[in-house]
Amino acid sequence: MKKALITGITGQDGSYLTEFLLSKGYIVYGVIRRSSSFNTGRIDHIYQDPHDPSPRMRLIYGDLNDASSLNKIIRTVEPDEIYNLGAQSHVRVSFDVPEYTAEITGLGTVRLLEAIRETGVQTRFYQASSSEMYGNSPSPQSEHTPFQPRSPYAAAKVYAHWMTVNYREGYGLFACNGILFNHESPRRGETFVSRKITKAVARIKLGQQERLFLGNLDAKRDWGYARDYMEAVWLMLQQDEPDDYVIATGETNSVRDFLGEAFGYVDLDWQKYVEIDPRYYRPTEVDVLLGDASKARQKLGWRPKVKFRDLVRMMVDADLQAESTRASDPAVARNHELLGNLQAKSSCPVERNTISSKPKMWSASTEMHSPTWSSILRAKSAASEPIAPTQANFSTIT
Ligand code: NAP
Ligand code: GDD
């Protein structure tokens, strides 16, 4: 059975990749960082009791800022594949915390690469590179387009990208960069523009919100579906040779287009609700991202399945369900919000959702889940409005 190690397992992509790898029969180890509040909402539905004889998903405390934890994890787990999805991933925020962004998003990658080299563990490495690295390079952008980073986040990603190439060429590491264009889902963080819009659409439609404040509406992005993109990420590590790949849909739309599609879907005119707040402007903006993923198509056989319009509708539907449930049952609503009502019908075969207070391999201090809260929420949600019969509808977020 193959072992995969994922940093950023609690994020949007981490949750989809974990589902995908479990469905492929992997044992998945996820690095989570200490938080004063629960941050595992996106993966609670696939969490397995470590008291089971052989749980296939295990969580480990670590941090991209802490080389010794990464070394220890890699040495102990000896993963066949490592997916580095962890990052301070918000572009606007990176202007506020540039040094921290460099530390986690840039140097964090080097810490992992060094840990692999030092331990000598034979593994394959995936680095979550980003279309943001292209900055204002002309579109369509491919693997041959030069990077012109226009944010601390992008600069950190460029550094991590080239370090990954360096370790591949210098030390023969099987290391790949996936240059992923924007990908969204109902599990997208609420401060990214897509989710900010779809959540607002739902709340406005339900009479819970009156206005939506946004920044630059002219920026264009190549928006795809996160679940599709995680399959491409896995494919990269299954090739005979390591390489770098652009993953994109080949279609670009403006934030304005997104607004039109999302509000239009529920028969609302976005111009009546949206106001510009300059605080959401960035000191430097990336105007147009449009990816050319022909290399991934040819070499990986990968194509996106979900197009822009369906993606927007899927997200609006999920937020409508979450927001309409919120009033009657906030816990279930939170679950809808984190997983997305459509995503909840996951192909993941792992149905065990018991709660642990002691992950198997690691120290007893790992009290990540409260059995009391979780079982109460699970029972409540099962009784009220199940998302899918095979999933536990609890959330650890209270
Ligand atoms: P996300 O939802 O923001 O998730 C980021 C993950 O990184 C979370 O699990 C977060 O943990 C973790 N993390 C943050 N700081 C960490 C630290 N110091 N140590 C360990 N883990 C840490 O991001 P995403 O959308 O899933 O994206 C996944 C990766 O792909 C990121 O590297 C992102 O930069 C990159 N990327 C994303 C896109 C996109 O459109 N989504 C496109 C290109 C590249 P917490 O839950 O505790 O915060
Ligand atoms: N977040 C946000 N909030 N963005 C806004 C807003 C707003 O209120 N109003 C307009 N925008 C514009 C931003 O200026 C940007 O041009 C565009 O919407 C998309 O912003 P985000 O959704 O925050 O995504 P991003 O493109 O900056 O970054 C995402 O994609 C990258 C890949 O290109 C993140 O997921 C990065 O981690 C990822 O690397």
Side-chain angles (χ1 to χ4, degrees), residues 89-92 129-132 153 157 180-184 188 191-194 196 213-217 219-221 223 255 280-282 285-286 289:
S89 71
H90 202 283
V91 174
R92 174 67 191 81
S129 280
S130 165
S131 53
E132 181 72 13
Y153 168 81
K157 281 286 183 188
L180 271 53
F181 283 62
N182 297 50
H183 44 280
E184 320 294 311
R188 185 59 143 151
T191 59
F192 296 97
V193 78
S194 60
K196 190 171 165 183
F213 292 98
L214 292 175
N216 176 16
L217 305 188
K220 296 178 100 176
R221 291 291 182 273
W223 276 296
V255 175
Y280 298 116
Y281 289 153
R282 294 156 187 203
E285 176 64 282
V286 170
L289 291 176

Side-chain angles (χ1 to χ4, degrees), residues 7-14 31-33 35 39 42 62-65 84-90 100 104-105 128-131 153 157 178-184 187-189 192:
T7 71
I9 192 169
T10 55
Q12 170 190 258
D13 290 3
V31 178
I32 64 164
R33 56 184 179 153
S35 164
N39 60 355
R42 292 187 181 100
D63 199 300
L64 286 165
N65 204 11
N84 182 29
L85 309 182
Q88 190 303 93
S89 71
H90 202 283
Y100 177 75
I104 304 308
T105 306
S129 280
S130 165
S131 53
Y153 168 81
K157 281 286 183 188
I179 308 172
L180 271 53
F181 283 62
N182 297 50
H183 44 280
E184 320 294 311
R187 298 184 198 173
R188 185 59 143 151
F192 296 97

